[in-house]
Amino acid sequence: KIKTIHKNTLSQEPPGKQLTMVGVKNDSPEFLQYITQLGLAINSKITITSNHKFDSSLNIEVNGKSQMITQQVAENIFVL
């Protein structure tokens, strides 16, 4: 029997939880280049440090570096 793994997007997760990036929805060269500049790659450890209700942007920590990402970016990153 094959086990199905349910993955969420980064935008669906609560602050304070350590997550692992497992994939992307958007595989355009521009998006992949952008997330690479942020230090994001498959198996990156991500912690959401806060979210902003007014625009749904997120403050995240990746490899010890703080980053701010938009809701649009967070909706395109799959995590476990």
Side-chain angles (χ1 to χ4, degrees):
K1 188 174 182 177
I2 297 174
K3 184 179 177 184
T4 302
I5 297 174
H6 181 71
K7 58 190 177 215
N8 286 336
T9 62
L10 193 54
S11 62
Q12 295 172 300
E13 295 291 341
K17 191 173 173 184
Q18 185 173 51
L19 305 157
T20 302
M21 182 175 158
V22 295
V24 295
K25 276 187 196 178
N26 181 344
D27 63 356
S28 72
E30 295 84 4
F31 182 71
L32 296 175
Q33 184 177 34
Y34 177 71
I35 63 170
T36 299
Q37 289 172 351
L38 295 176
L40 290 167
I42 300 299
N43 293 322
S44 289
K45 301 298 183 207
I46 304 167
T47 302
I48 300 171
T49 54
S50 63
N51 59 3
H52 302 280
K53 300 288 184 208
F54 65 93
D55 67 356
S56 299
S57 62
L58 301 176
N59 285 84
I60 61 171
E61 190 172 293
V62 182
N63 304 322
K65 278 181 65 177
S66 293
Q67 306 279 353
M68 185 170 179
I69 61 170
T70 64
Q71 180 183 15
Q72 184 177 1
V73 170
E75 287 175 348
N76 281 285
I77 297 173
F78 287 120
V79 292
L80 287 176

